[in-house]
Amino acid sequence: MTDLSTLRDETLAAIAAANDEAALEAARVAALGKKGTISALLATLGKMTPDERRSAGAAINALKDEATGALAARRAALKALALDARLKREALDMSLPLRRAAIDAGRIHPISQVFDEIVAIFADMGFSIAEGPDIESDDYNFTKLNFPPGHPAREMHDTFFFAPDASGERKLLRTHTSPVQVRTMLAQKPPIRIVCPGRTYRCDADQTHTPMFHQVEGLVIDKSATLAHLKWVLEEFCKAFFEVPKVGMRFRPSFFPFTSPSMEVDIQCRRSGGEIRFGEGEDWLEILGCGMVHANVLKNCGLDPDVYQGYAWGMGIDRIAMLKYGLPDLRDFFDADLRWIDHYGFKPLDAPTLAGGLSG
Ligand code: DAH
């Protein structure tokens, strides 16, 4: 029976050498398939004498069982190997830092947030948004706003001037958002009710001043706009913006060439331990300038001061953003430091609304 033992060795070796499902199936077909070597031996049993069959039959059947067992064992081993390989391939390193979902990456800058908050509040009161260019003419930035050439108030603006152009005109970076008042009055008839948030520029830099900063201007012109209305609008704005039920406000006489009378407005606050609270306390903090639009400005913009009157105000956005959100240094706003924006920025889908909450 050397034949049988050779066949056994060859069959078991082929099974053991099968490295994947297909090779194992080939080994099975070669041994136990219809035309397989062991099947061929089994087929010879029918032609044997009963005695031959008794001895050879047992050996052949034992070989068949052994091959079947080896096939099953190899199949199980291959399965385990495949599982191991897959586990290795799909392994996750739980110690790696999380990658943020796209929706959660990126933040709204506090300035943009405060822009949106201001717009939400004034839009709710029926104001429209107006805009003007950053590069402005001397005429709109100063002259039409009743700063005649040579007026000392011009010097207080630390203006960035451009070199004179071919016609000799010297453009400038607007020093305030007030020229948008001029543009609006020249372009549309009263009643006018606008706010203009935007960038402004002055040659100045320290912890609370940067050469580029932001303001929001407000302007109301019609036949009967009064200081009382101005006071109400500003009070409603402050309550909504600082998200408090009441604010103490103080209107102090001041001077701006484009308003008469002119005032500066302080709001009541309490400072303690680096924190500041609005609507209570014994401190006062200046937040804006305002007044009744000067008759000369109305005239310069083609409006008859005997028919129309109005009020205006201008407020530093960076400053109220710093106050509201506890940001200590204005220069950080413009450093483009991702760690800072991650910490102080706002979630992109939390748009400020009066109904849903301004600051989320
Ligand atoms: N333009 C002024 C400034 O930058 C702020 C200001 C004050 C604007 C009074 C106004 C106003 O409209 O009425 O200092």
Side-chain angles (χ1 to χ4, degrees):
M1 274 300 191
T2 338
D3 258 4
L4 211 53
S5 90
T6 311
L7 179 58
R8 175 183 176 277
D9 291 349
E10 284 173 2
T11 304
L12 294 182
I15 293 171
N19 269 333
D20 57 28
E21 198 60 42
L24 189 61
E25 179 62 7
R28 186 191 69 77
V29 170
L32 297 173
K34 254 191 211 148
K35 294 177 185 157
T37 47
I38 297 175
S39 308
L41 280 178
L42 285 167
T44 62
L45 289 180
K47 289 170 202 141
M48 291 182 188
T49 63
D51 276 353
E52 280 173 333
R53 193 180 304 142
R54 203 169 301 127
S55 61
I60 295 170
N61 272 310
L63 175 54
K64 181 191 161 195
D65 289 347
E66 195 177 1
T68 306
L71 280 167
R74 186 64 190 150
R75 183 160 295 127
L78 282 180
K79 224 173 177 176
L81 282 175
L83 181 62
D84 278 353
R86 181 163 167 215
L87 285 175
K88 204 169 276 170
R89 194 164 9 106
E90 294 180 4
L92 293 178
D93 182 351
M94 295 302 177
S95 65
L96 287 176
L98 274 184
R99 191 187 306 153
R100 272 203 231 159
I103 193 71
D104 208 30
R107 285 286 180 270
I108 302 293
H109 194 284
I111 293 289
S112 308
Q113 167 77 15
V114 168
F115 259 53
D116 291 348
E117 292 181 17
I118 291 171
V119 165
I121 296 169
F122 285 112
D124 191 65
M125 291 191 217
F127 282 76
S128 321
I129 310 304
E131 285 181 315
D134 291 12
I135 297 177
E136 194 46 283
S137 66
D138 189 293
D139 187 36
Y140 284 8
N141 195 82
F142 290 125
T143 314
K144 284 209 166 26
L145 287 166
N146 200 33
F147 293 78
H151 192 287
R154 285 176 173 238
E155 307 307 317
M156 292 164 60
H157 276 221
D158 302 310
T159 313
F160 288 111
F161 286 100
F162 288 86
D165 62 17
S167 68
E169 188 193 346
R170 214 165 45 141
K171 287 265 200 297
L172 48 81
L173 287 172
R174 65 178 178 190
T175 58
H176 49 180
T177 41
S178 304
V180 187
Q181 289 189 26
V182 175
R183 289 175 172 275
T184 308
M185 286 187 270
L186 287 172
Q188 67 190 68
K189 286 267 147 286
I192 292 171
R193 240 186 272 132
I194 51 151
V195 285
C196 348
R199 290 192 177 127
T200 45
Y201 305 83
R202 288 185 203 182
C203 185
D204 202 354
D206 61 32
Q207 191 174 351
T208 53
H209 295 87
T210 48
M212 190 271 295
F213 58 105
H214 302 84
Q215 287 190 341
V216 60
E217 190 84 9
L219 175 71
V220 173
I221 305 280
D222 68 19
K223 290 181 178 162
S224 58
T226 69
L227 271 185
H229 300 150
L230 168 66
K231 201 166 166 253
W232 182 86
V233 165
L234 293 178
E235 226 174 276
E236 289 306 302
F237 167 76
C238 287
K239 284 192 291 189
F241 181 75
F242 291 110
E243 300 176 67
V244 290
K246 67 177 181 48
V247 275
M249 297 180 83
R250 192 166 72 174
F251 288 70
R252 278 182 293 104
S254 182
F255 172 80
F256 302 102
F258 37 89
T259 44
S260 178
S262 304
M263 285 152 290
E264 279 175 324
V265 176
D266 303 333
I267 56 170
Q268 198 167 27
C269 63
R270 166 171 299 138
R271 295 169 208 260
S272 65
E275 255 204 17
I276 186 160
R277 268 183 194 294
F278 297 98
E280 52 184 278
E282 39 302 302
D283 271 350
W284 294 94
L285 201 104
E286 184 201 320
I287 59 159
L288 60 90
C290 63
M292 295 302 290
V293 178
H294 198 291
N296 288 349
V297 175
L298 293 172
K299 269 189 252 169
N300 292 340
C301 298
L303 296 178
D304 181 350
D306 291 331
V307 179
Y308 293 112
Q309 59 183 44
Y311 54 87
W313 71 91
M315 183 165 51
I317 290 183
D318 314 78
R319 186 171 161 76
I320 61 170
M322 288 170 79
L323 289 172
K324 180 167 179 181
Y325 292 114
L327 309 166
D329 192 324
L330 181 57
R331 292 166 296 195
D332 292 338
F333 279 51
F334 312 115
D335 268 354
D337 183 335
L338 279 178
R339 296 163 301 178
W340 185 87
I341 187 80
D342 253 1
H343 183 75
Y344 288 110
F346 293 80
K347 293 206 174 146
L349 293 184
D350 289 349
T353 62
L354 283 182
L358 282 183
S359 53

